[in-house]
């Protein structure tokens, strides 16, 4: 069985400061991991995915995530937050694309 | 061109009614999904189809029936709507189920409100 924990339901940062959204997973197998973003009243958009080619994954809009097997973590970071980053972020674990398990989401607020 | 489209975008209806939500993808993908997102933003998979065949059927009331007339379409029919069915329903597609690195492409969602 697979599961995803997102440790913070809400993160608030000031514009221009770093962003850290935490994700821990549980999987019996080597997982595939994704981060999706959902802006208000919109569908979900892929930010980045872990493909096992490299543990540090770069995504769109300056986001990146590091896969740490020993810590079963896949935290999402961005060096400098922008107002347009305010959204809901979902960490997702899957195996062979058959059962995508979503975390509960982290709402990111960016203060001016 | 919209990759994954859903209709309608909003659906308001009375308890007990039957309604359908349509989904179409023009990406040439083999696999399609339906998700339910509740008021707390929690996303849960409902169904998954691969090449028109049902491969995932989570614990969902049998009032919900998916139908895939072809690979590009996965419709969701809901009978005898209940208040608890109010949610946002997302359709998604992915290339296939053989690669674990396939990402899903999501539609814009259908906000269903049952009165």
């Amino acid at each position: 069985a697979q599961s995803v924990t997102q440790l913070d339901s809400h993160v608030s940062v000031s514009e221009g400061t770093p962003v850290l959204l935490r994700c821990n997973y549980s999987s019996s197998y080597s997982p595939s991991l994704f981060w999706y973003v959902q802006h208000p009243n919109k569908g979900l958009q892929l930010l980045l995915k872990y493909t096992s080619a490299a543990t540090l994954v770069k995504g769109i809009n300056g986001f990146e995530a590091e896969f740490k097997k020993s810590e079963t973590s896949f935290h999402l970071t961005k060096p400098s937050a922008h107002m347009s980053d305010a959204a809901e972020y979902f960490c997702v674990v899957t195996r062979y694309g058959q059962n995508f398990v979503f975390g509960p989401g982290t709402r990111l607020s960016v203060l001016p | 061109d919209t990759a994954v489209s859903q209709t309608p975008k909003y659906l308001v209806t009375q308890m007990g009614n039957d309604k359908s939500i349509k989904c179409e993808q023009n990406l040439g993908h083999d696999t399609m999904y339906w998700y339910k997102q509740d008021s707390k933003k929690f996303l849960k998979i409902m169904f998954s189809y691969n090449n028109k065949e049902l491969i995932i059927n989570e614990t969902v009331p049998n009032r919900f029936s998916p139908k895939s007339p072809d690979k590009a379409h996965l419709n969701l029919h809901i009978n005898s709507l209940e208040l608890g069915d109010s949610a946002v329903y997302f359709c998604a597609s992915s290339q296939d189920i053989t690669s674990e690195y396939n990402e899903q492409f999501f539609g814009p969602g259908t906000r269903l409100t049952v009165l």
Side-chain angles (χ1 to χ4, degrees), chain B residues 46-71:
Chain B
M46 300 172 70
F47 302 103
S48 172
Y49 269 71
N50 186 64
N51 268 320
K52 302 196 300 174
E53 288 192 20
L54 181 66
I55 56 170
I56 292 176
N57 183 1
E58 293 295 314
T59 307
V60 174
N62 57 15
R63 298 181 295 104
F64 290 79
S65 53
K67 278 216 171 83
S68 182
D70 55 57
K71 273 192 347 178

Side-chain angles (χ1 to χ4, degrees), chain B residues 16-29:
Chain B
N17 283 351
D18 303 339
K19 290 292 178 186
S20 292
I21 307 172
K22 295 186 175 182
C23 178
E24 177 181 2
Q25 53 95 3
N26 62 7
L27 298 166
H29 288 168

Side-chain angles (χ1 to χ4, degrees), chain B residues 28-84:
Chain B
H29 288 168
D30 285 347
T31 310
M32 296 184 73
Y33 311 80
W34 275 110
Y35 288 86
K36 180 180 180 181
Q37 186 175 45
D38 62 24
S39 57
K40 295 184 178 174
K41 302 289 186 186
F42 186 71
L43 267 160
K44 186 167 166 49
I45 192 165
M46 300 172 70
F47 302 103
S48 172
Y49 269 71
N50 186 64
N51 268 320
K52 302 196 300 174
E53 288 192 20
L54 181 66
I55 56 170
I56 292 176
N57 183 1
E58 293 295 314
T59 307
V60 174
N62 57 15
R63 298 181 295 104
F64 290 79
S65 53
K67 278 216 171 83
S68 182
D70 55 57
K71 273 192 347 178
H73 296 85
L74 180 62
N75 303 324
L76 183 65
H77 188 75
I78 316 170
N79 288 327
S80 303
L81 278 154
E82 300 177 358
L83 292 176

Side-chain angles (χ1 to χ4, degrees), chain A residues 30-34 36 38 40-46 49-53 88 90 92 94-105, chain B residues 9-10 31 33 35 37 40-45 48 55-56 58 88 90 94 96-109 111:
Chain A
S30 294
S32 302
L33 293 157
F34 304 81
Y36 282 84
Q38 183 181 24
N41 299 314
K42 300 283 186 189
L44 283 84
Q45 180 186 17
L46 180 71
K49 63 183 179 183
Y50 168 64
T51 63
S52 78
E88 193 86 20
F90 294 94
V92 184
T94 186
R95 177 160 174 80
Y96 295 123
Q98 290 194 37
N99 186 15
F100 285 80
V101 177
F102 279 72
Chain B
K9 193 170 169 66
Y10 299 96
T31 310
Y33 311 80
Y35 288 86
Q37 186 175 45
K40 295 184 178 174
K41 302 289 186 186
F42 186 71
L43 267 160
K44 186 167 166 49
I45 192 165
S48 172
I55 56 170
I56 292 176
E58 293 295 314
V88 181
F90 285 100
S94 65
D96 56 46
I97 57 170
T98 59
S99 169
E100 59 199 288
Y101 304 126
N102 279 334
E103 67 257 35
Q104 294 184 318
F105 293 78
F106 283 81
R111 183 175 294 276

Side-chain angles (χ1 to χ4, degrees), chain A residues 1-7 22-35 67 71-74 90-95 99-105, chain B residues 42-43:
Chain A
Q2 299 174 120
S3 66
V4 178
T5 303
Q6 290 182 244
L7 296 160
R22 296 182 292 169
C23 171
N24 286 87
Y25 67 90
S26 170
S27 178
S28 306
Y29 306 97
S30 294
S32 302
L33 293 157
F34 304 81
W35 275 99
F67 173 70
E71 298 177 9
T72 61
S73 69
F74 190 56
F90 294 94
C91 182
V92 184
V93 64
T94 186
R95 177 160 174 80
N99 186 15
F100 285 80
V101 177
F102 279 72
Chain B
F42 186 71
L43 267 160

